Amino acid sequence: MMLIDRATVLVTGATGGLGREFVRQTLERGAHKVYAGTRRDHDWHDPRVVPVRLDVTDAQQIAATAETAADTGLLINNAGVKGAPSLLASPFEEIRATFEANVFGPLALTRALAPALAAAGGGAVVDVHSVLSWLAQPGAYSGSKAALWGLTNSLRLELAGQGTQVLGAHLGYTDTPMTTHVDAPKSDPAVIVGRILDALEAGADEALADDVTVAVRAGLAGATTGRLG
């Protein structure tokens, strides 16, 4: 079970709607320091926040971050992209870039920070998924989030030996810059992040951060039970 109080945290995609909340709320819960990984400069106006230039698709920046943030005890893989809108019509390079940002970036950063987490007594990893991990949509986004879900479950097994908690966080539409084009009800990022961090500190493996996600997850479980019965 991960306790945020006095922990050192690394948040990727820290200037996004969810990222800023992860920075703010981990500090509210007593984090000693938060490394804020961003692709552009940002003034946090808080000495406890350490800006880190981090594009999760850049191997050199990941290596530099692992060196700078070697005292990290909690890694929050929040960065991601909407990505290619069509698996058939979008340029293949755009599809590949979606998976690089949403799947291989979090994996690379987790691999790079795993020794730091072990040194911190095990620590924790939070991977931000989506309800679209379980609901297919056209394009590369839902496929990449489904891949990240599977990756998270496998990493949980591999990191168990060093005592690292791995939490998969699922959420539906949330009011962030990534969803400005969406005409649908959206959750408050502060509420979503609060529920994710509550699940983390409760020792959970999975956070279902809104009612839509709870309903979809329950539907999957029911469908599986029906097939097996």
Side-chain angles (χ1 to χ4, degrees):
M1 180 176 65
M2 177 73 200
L3 296 179
I4 298 171
D5 186 38
R6 293 189 292 275
T8 297
V9 183
L10 170 59
V11 179
T12 69
T15 55
L18 288 174
R20 289 194 301 272
E21 279 299 321
F22 277 119
V23 172
R24 184 181 70 82
Q25 292 194 34
T26 52
L27 288 172
E28 281 187 348
R29 292 179 187 231
H32 168 69
K33 181 196 304 181
V34 177
Y35 293 105
T38 65
R39 292 187 296 175
R40 59 185 183 275
D41 293 335
H42 184 80
D43 190 346
W44 293 92
H45 304 289
D46 190 322
R48 297 171 297 174
V49 181
V50 180
V52 176
R53 183 60 62 89
L54 179 58
D55 179 338
V56 298
T57 68
D58 187 314
Q60 291 185 335
Q61 290 187 11
I62 287 175
T65 298
E67 183 174 347
T68 298
D71 55 343
T72 296
L74 170 58
L75 168 62
I76 301 177
N77 283 314
N78 167 69
V81 298
K82 289 184 293 186
S86 172
L87 294 174
L88 296 178
S90 297
F92 200 82
E93 293 77 10
E94 189 176 347
I95 297 169
R96 189 185 300 276
T98 306
F99 278 79
E100 288 290 343
N102 293 352
V103 183
F104 296 113
L107 173 58
L109 196 57
T110 301
R111 285 165 57 103
L113 269 295
L117 298 175
V125 177
V126 174
D127 287 339
V128 178
H129 301 157
S130 167
V131 70
L132 296 180
S133 302
W134 307 317
L135 295 175
Q137 281 192 346
Y141 182 81
S142 63
S144 69
K145 288 298 185 177
L148 179 59
W149 177 44
L151 180 150
T152 298
N153 293 334
S154 295
L155 281 173
R156 184 178 299 114
L157 300 177
E158 293 202 30
L159 289 170
Q162 67 175 43
T164 300
Q165 179 185 355
V166 179
L167 173 72
H170 296 266
L171 55 142
Y173 289 130
T174 305
D175 193 9
T176 69
M178 186 180 286
T179 63
T180 53
H181 67 292
V182 176
D183 183 16
K186 302 172 190 177
S187 298
D188 182 345
V191 173
I192 295 298
V193 168
R195 290 175 178 173
I196 293 170
L197 296 181
D198 285 346
L200 176 71
E201 294 197 302
D205 291 339
E206 191 170 70
L208 307 180
D210 55 34
D211 292 342
V212 170
T213 304
V214 170
V216 171
R217 191 71 169 92
L220 289 177
T224 301
T225 301
R227 285 198 300 271
L228 292 177

